[in-house]
Amino acid sequence: MSKAARERTARERLAEERRRQAARAKQRRLLTVVLGAVAVVALIVVVTVIVLDQRGQRDQTATPYRGPQAPLTRQSDGSIVMAKPGVNAPVLEVFEDFQCPACKAFEENTGKTVKQLAAEGKAKVVYRPFHLFGEQRDPIRSNSLRSAAAALCVPAPQWLSYHDALFTFQPREGSEGFATRDLVAWGRDVGVTDPNFEKCVTDQQKKPQVDAMTTYALQTRGVTGTPTVFLDGRKLENELQDPAALQKAVADAKGSQ
């Protein structure tokens, strides 16, 4: 083989090697791009999962109540009075447990009417939350107690908003629910600014008062289930799920006074 042929062959081998190197480099760049894209997608997925998880923890965001109501005051026994100044009768007492599905149904069907009656000065409403499910097994028992104790930590001005949130986010009976972090968060959602609120909820500082309110409901007033609603001491029945019937009962009671 001549010298010229040998040089040509060497150049061809060198060119072929350079082509292979260029092809390998191109493959590496492509692989880098693909891996980078996969990494970005994976990062997006992770971030999305985290965000959704965080949102899931706060999906249940309470909102302040903006509907009709009368001024709210808390009595020494822990009950909440909603009444216009000077309105002392008729008295509508609502005994309720925040874990009770029937109480939630009552609020959904008739709760607005109760608030409207107070707002219009037609009745003095007294809310008496208590711990009905004390004899039940967990999580029903603990949900019942935790929510009632938390509600008593809420100042009167925000209590109605918190009350409604507890029924809105009521856990399915028998399931875990009313987590302490949520009970605290809902208070902040509706405007509770008391720096002692979180500790009050977390430590269940109002448990003794809940126990006393429970004793009053069950032993003194003879409450056997929830919701139990009294109108001037008379236990209502059919009126609980019939707003019109409740309005009539209150009007009749007011007219007889």
Side-chain angles (χ1 to χ4, degrees):
M1 180 182 295
S2 66
K3 180 178 179 182
R6 289 197 299 273
E7 290 177 350
R8 184 172 60 253
T9 300
R11 288 196 298 271
E12 290 173 349
R13 287 199 299 269
L14 179 60
E16 180 62 25
E17 179 62 26
R18 287 175 176 172
R19 282 195 295 272
R20 286 197 294 268
Q21 290 177 351
R24 287 195 294 269
K26 183 178 180 180
Q27 289 176 342
R28 286 195 295 271
R29 287 196 299 271
L30 180 59
L31 181 59
T32 300
V33 170
V34 170
L35 291 177
V38 170
V40 170
V41 171
L43 179 61
I44 291 173
V45 170
V46 170
V47 171
T48 301
V49 169
I50 293 173
V51 169
L52 288 176
D53 182 61
Q54 291 174 341
R55 286 181 180 174
Q57 294 176 8
R58 294 295 294 126
D59 267 351
Q60 298 177 330
T61 301
T63 56
Y65 174 71
R66 303 296 187 191
Q69 63 174 297
L72 296 156
T73 56
R74 188 183 296 281
Q75 301 189 111
S76 60
D77 64 353
S79 60
I80 287 286
V81 171
M82 179 170 59
K84 295 185 71 173
V87 175
N88 297 308
V91 178
L92 195 65
E93 296 177 279
V94 182
F95 287 82
E96 57 191 358
D97 187 305
F98 296 114
Q99 176 59 78
C100 165
C103 294
K104 179 175 182 176
F106 172 73
E107 281 301 319
E108 290 174 346
N109 293 328
T110 319
K112 183 177 179 180
T113 299
V114 172
K115 296 163 187 168
Q116 188 70 48
L117 288 168
E120 294 175 353
K122 296 178 179 178
K124 173 183 177 180
V125 177
V126 183
Y127 290 100
R128 297 188 181 277
F130 71 105
H131 178 24
L132 174 67
F133 296 107
E135 301 303 320
Q136 298 285 337
R137 291 183 297 177
D138 282 338
I140 294 177
R141 176 176 56 191
S142 58
N143 285 340
S144 174
L145 173 60
R146 234 183 354 264
S147 56
L152 295 189
C153 293
V154 178
Q158 291 85 34
W159 191 84
L160 197 58
S161 298
Y162 196 80
H163 163 276
D164 288 1
L166 289 177
F167 282 121
T168 298
F169 305 134
Q170 182 187 88
R172 180 175 51 82
E173 198 168 20
S175 67
E176 295 291 342
F178 287 140
T180 300
R181 66 176 182 275
D182 291 329
L183 293 169
V184 172
W186 295 334
R188 301 304 185 201
D189 290 342
V190 301
V192 176
T193 57
D194 184 348
N196 297 317
F197 172 70
E198 181 172 355
K199 184 173 177 58
C200 180
V201 174
T202 302
D203 295 350
Q204 291 188 6
Q205 293 178 354
K206 297 297 183 180
K207 181 182 181 301
Q209 197 168 30
V210 172
D211 291 340
M213 295 178 76
T214 301
T215 298
Y216 173 75
L218 301 180
Q219 298 183 15
T220 304
R221 300 299 297 278
V223 174
T224 58
T226 51
T228 293
V229 180
F230 293 103
L231 179 59
D232 286 342
R234 177 177 70 87
K235 185 178 178 180
L236 300 181
E237 297 289 351
N238 298 330
E239 299 90 345
L240 296 188
Q241 299 301 333
D242 188 342
L246 178 61
Q247 289 174 322
K248 184 179 184 304
V250 169
D252 291 346
K254 190 174 182 66
S256 65
Q257 294 172 359

